[in-house]
Amino acid sequence: MPRVLLTGFEPFGGESVNPSWQAVREVVARPPAGIEVVGVQLPCVFGGALDALRAAVADADPDVVLCVGQAGGRPDLTVERVAVNIDDAVIPDNAGARPVDEPVVPGGPAAYFATLPVKACVAAVREAGLPASVSQTAGTFVCNHVFYGLMHLAATERPGLRGGFVHVPYAPGQVAGRALPSLPVATVAEGLRVIAVTAAGRTDDLRVTGGATH
């Protein structure tokens, strides 16, 4: 069976939970048929997150890596298309670091595209009755840092490895008293199951629109 490594993050920015890791744990506890799933929590720390990711990849030896992060304010599961070689932190990470205009990998390419079938993953989640869309930016915080680092690792050291990144909304408990979108963790986990199966099962993507005007 194909092996999929799922990663989520520890809480950050004053939150007590991170729905990315909560959902990953649910997928690991109840994986979909046809694939093997390994889950690892990453620290929300520049540099340290990539060290943990590299160790997890070496240990699990996966066919596919799907990193997952929290994107508070987004209403759906967003499958990321591109990672950029820049760290530009609007808030400190969990170690207090706040890099500004620093490369994730000095001398690395400006960007990498995900090597998962991004649009097919989005379509599969929608077909399952769950909200999803293509995202053109993973931000410039630790999520993009990990996404870029993953794709650089695959491009330079593990050419057979395919990978990508998914952002998920807040969990309902995080938005109490705030007018912000959220999704139950169980819903997010079900979406991740669909994405994991789709990513492991196909390399070709759909030729449908997934762009944005801004």
Side-chain angles (χ1 to χ4, degrees):
M1 290 193 298
R3 181 177 299 135
V4 179
L5 171 63
L6 289 176
T7 73
F9 282 103
E10 66 183 356
F12 70 96
E15 298 286 343
S16 61
V17 297
N18 190 316
S20 69
W21 176 238
Q22 291 178 303
V24 166
R25 284 193 307 178
E26 288 203 13
V27 177
V28 173
R30 191 167 62 86
I35 64 172
E36 180 183 352
V37 177
V38 179
V40 172
Q41 186 185 66
L42 303 180
C44 189
V45 175
F46 288 102
L50 288 185
D51 292 340
L53 175 65
R54 177 181 288 272
V57 170
D59 185 56
D61 191 25
D63 301 291
V64 172
V65 179
L66 185 62
C67 296
V68 186
Q70 170 190 293
R74 294 190 187 182
D76 57 358
L77 280 76
T78 50
V79 185
E80 300 294 344
R81 192 199 295 255
V82 61
V84 296
N85 192 15
I86 194 73
D87 291 332
D88 193 4
V90 67
I91 61 172
D93 70 8
N94 283 355
R98 192 175 176 182
V100 175
D101 295 344
E102 296 181 9
V104 180
V105 177
Y112 284 109
F113 285 110
T115 50
L116 304 182
V118 171
K119 294 180 179 180
C121 288
V122 168
V125 175
R126 289 175 174 172
E127 288 169 8
L130 306 174
S133 61
V134 177
S135 171
Q136 317 301 330
T137 174
T140 56
F141 195 52
V142 184
C143 287
N144 175 78
H145 180 83
V146 163
F147 184 16
Y148 185 92
L150 167 64
M151 303 319 301
H152 187 73
L153 175 65
T156 59
E157 298 180 38
R158 300 183 70 99
L161 181 66
R162 297 188 298 119
F165 197 99
V166 177
H167 266 120
V168 303
Y170 282 133
Q174 294 177 280
V175 300
R178 298 189 288 172
L180 290 169
S182 66
L183 279 178
V185 170
T187 301
V188 172
E190 188 55 35
L192 293 179
R193 290 185 185 97
V194 172
I195 293 171
V197 169
T198 304
R202 63 184 295 172
T203 57
D204 63 310
D205 208 352
L206 300 177
R207 190 169 179 81
V208 296
T209 185
T213 57
H214 57 82

